[in-house]
Amino acid sequence: MAQNLNETPRANRVHIAFFGMRNAGKSSVVNAVTGQEMSIVSAVKGTTTDPVTKSMELLPVGPVVIIDTPGMDDTGDVGALRVKKARQILAKTDVAVLVVDGQVGLSPADEELLALFRDRGVPHLVAYNKADLAPAAQQGGLSVSALTGQGIQQLKERIAALAAKAENEKRIIGDLLTPGDMVVLVTPIDASAPKGRMILPQVQAIRDILDAGAVCSVTQPEQLPGVLSGLSAPPRLVITDSQAFGRVKGMVPGQVPLTSFSILFARYKGVLKTAVQGAAALEGLKDGDRVLIAEGCTHHRQCEDIGTVKLPGWIQAHTKKALQFAFTSGGGFPEDLSPFRLVVHCGGCMLNEREMQSRRQAAERQGVPYTNYGTLIAYMNGILKRSLAPFPDCAGLL
């Protein structure tokens, strides 16, 4: 189903995930918190077999993504796969709620989960369910009852307090602008452009520019020279689709700052410094090396797809090496990155900051260079330093 254009994008919503053992009443608590029958509830252990996800408005938090996960004590080969899926959810979790059966108390598996939350730096709280049958909460947790509603409002308020700390207050570009500044956006309309609409990074950049009180002009590459010559003064900034860097770089005067949507989103998601440092790894690639190209969204592949066609071609042409390429999209991202000599990620507009940081950290832990589309394309076009000029804290990395 197409997203309502008035809705907050999922990547900008606080992701709240509920974890726990089977039969702790986790799904019942999720339903009580959301006020909806979001998850199937049964006395049978392991009723939730896959993560259940829903975007919604949750008062007093605001726009959120609620995630109900399978029981972390599931058994057997299939159960192990379910537990693995639940653990993967942690990579995108801004606030974790550990639901514990109040009649049983914290189990060793619960303690392991809490240690994992702390290790990953995920804000979390413990909800002791079945308060209508169980003693008071232990170890700083909160007593709740999904059956009677006891403690559910307090639980929502505590979630809201943690969510407020987790919310991303960073700007895409607005913090670099002053009211009245002119920004020119270059957005090619070609076979890979979605029919009848613009891609999310372009839309979000436009909104952030307007929120800053600045003005923007949107054009295609072939119209850019006329747009620039028609301005009474040079623009504050030109932002281009990364695929057009090669064409646009010669059209924009050297004194005018030039960057790309992908570089802006790498900054917005907190991975730009790593992406800049990783771009130079291109020069060390050898015949037979494997390169992972990862996208955060799933979409119909066009004949000139950026991830699977254009980027591999440009990388092969730049390195003059016979390389092997692997591709992932959506929620798929390998835990083991050791087979790869470089990870090239998209801008991540469909992933929240927590998940982008998790992917970056995974590459760093395993010693695999990590960069992103726009950074690498700017590097291959010899204009990475120029593209980083608007961001002084990153320009010095070259």
Side-chain angles (χ1 to χ4, degrees):
M1 182 180 295
Q3 183 184 47
N4 185 318
L5 293 179
N6 290 320
E7 291 182 351
T8 301
R10 176 168 288 195
N12 289 3
R13 294 171 177 259
V14 176
H15 286 52
I16 303 167
F18 290 74
F19 297 88
M21 304 305 116
R22 291 176 297 168
N23 269 19
K26 177 167 39 61
S27 295
S28 296
V29 171
V30 169
N31 289 345
V33 167
T34 61
Q36 301 178 14
E37 294 298 314
M38 175 178 152
S39 299
I40 297 174
V41 175
S42 168
V44 177
K45 279 190 173 184
T47 300
T48 303
T49 58
D50 289 289
V52 179
T53 302
K54 183 176 180 61
S55 296
M56 62 183 299
E57 296 283 330
L58 180 66
L59 296 177
V61 185
V64 300
V65 174
I66 299 290
I67 309 171
D68 184 11
T69 64
M72 297 299 290
D73 58 341
D74 212 337
T75 58
D77 293 341
V78 175
L81 293 174
R82 293 171 181 166
V83 172
K84 181 180 179 181
K85 278 191 173 184
R87 289 175 67 93
Q88 289 173 341
I89 291 297
L90 195 57
K92 65 178 72 174
T93 300
D94 294 310
V95 175
V97 179
L98 175 60
V99 179
V100 176
D101 186 335
Q103 296 180 290
V104 178
L106 283 173
S107 68
D110 287 320
E111 296 281 10
E112 288 180 14
L113 263 178
L114 288 173
L116 188 58
F117 296 161
R118 290 190 288 267
D119 181 62
R120 299 283 182 89
V122 179
H124 59 276
L125 58 88
V126 180
Y128 289 89
N129 190 29
K130 307 180 184 178
D132 50 310
L133 303 173
Q138 309 165 48
Q139 299 186 21
L142 176 68
S143 283
V144 303
S145 171
L147 180 63
T148 67
Q150 176 185 335
I152 294 299
Q153 183 58 37
Q154 291 94 322
L155 176 59
K156 292 166 69 172
E157 290 170 357
R158 289 199 186 183
I159 291 172
L162 291 177
K165 297 177 182 178
E167 282 188 299
N168 183 359
E169 296 297 334
K170 294 188 294 185
R171 303 287 296 276
I172 297 171
I173 188 61
D175 58 312
L176 302 179
L177 303 174
T178 57
D181 281 347
M182 167 60 75
V183 181
V184 176
L185 308 180
V186 185
T187 61
I189 305 298
D190 52 24
S192 61
K195 187 173 180 61
R197 59 188 176 88
M198 301 179 73
I199 62 175
L200 186 59
Q202 297 167 355
V203 174
Q204 289 186 286
I206 291 172
R207 175 57 192 262
D208 203 33
I209 291 166
L210 297 179
D211 283 344
V215 180
C216 64
S217 175
V218 184
T219 183
Q220 297 187 58
E222 54 269 23
Q223 299 165 329
L224 179 59
V227 170
L228 294 175
S229 64
L231 296 176
S232 58
R236 170 68 181 83
L237 180 67
V238 174
I239 305 170
T240 182
D241 186 290
S242 298
Q243 300 179 62
F245 254 140
R247 300 165 61 190
V248 169
K249 65 179 182 179
M251 301 178 183
V252 180
Q255 70 273 20
V256 175
L258 169 66
T259 194
S260 75
F261 294 102
S262 185
I263 288 176
L264 285 176
F265 268 77
R267 170 180 178 260
Y268 182 53
K269 303 292 184 178
V271 301
L272 181 55
K273 290 185 178 180
T274 302
V276 171
Q277 294 168 330
L282 202 64
E283 308 304 337
L285 295 178
K286 300 179 176 60
D287 288 335
D289 280 349
R290 299 188 71 197
V291 176
L292 174 65
I293 298 181
E295 290 193 346
C297 61
T298 55
H299 59 271
H300 178 68
R301 302 288 185 183
Q302 301 286 344
C303 58
E304 286 298 309
D305 182 68
I306 175 67
T308 58
V309 179
K310 291 182 179 179
L311 259 177
W314 292 332
I315 292 172
Q316 297 268 42
H318 181 89
T319 61
K320 297 180 173 58
K321 303 294 182 183
L323 304 172
Q324 301 179 51
F325 294 89
F327 308 94
T328 65
S329 60
F333 191 77
E335 292 184 6
D336 181 10
L337 297 173
S338 60
F340 304 105
R341 293 295 169 263
L342 178 65
V343 174
V344 186
H345 207 290
C346 71
C349 65
M350 299 300 292
L351 303 178
N352 66 344
E353 182 177 357
R354 173 74 65 172
E355 187 161 11
M356 288 295 291
Q357 292 285 359
S358 177
R359 295 184 178 194
R360 173 189 63 81
Q361 291 164 358
E364 289 181 342
R365 282 196 305 269
Q366 298 176 56
V368 181
Y370 174 104
T371 189
N372 90 323
Y373 285 18
T375 306
L376 191 64
I377 294 171
Y379 177 86
M380 290 188 291
N381 276 278
I383 57 169
L384 181 54
K385 186 173 184 178
R386 180 183 179 186
S387 301
L388 297 174
F391 324 115
D393 58 328
C394 292
L397 296 174
L398 297 179

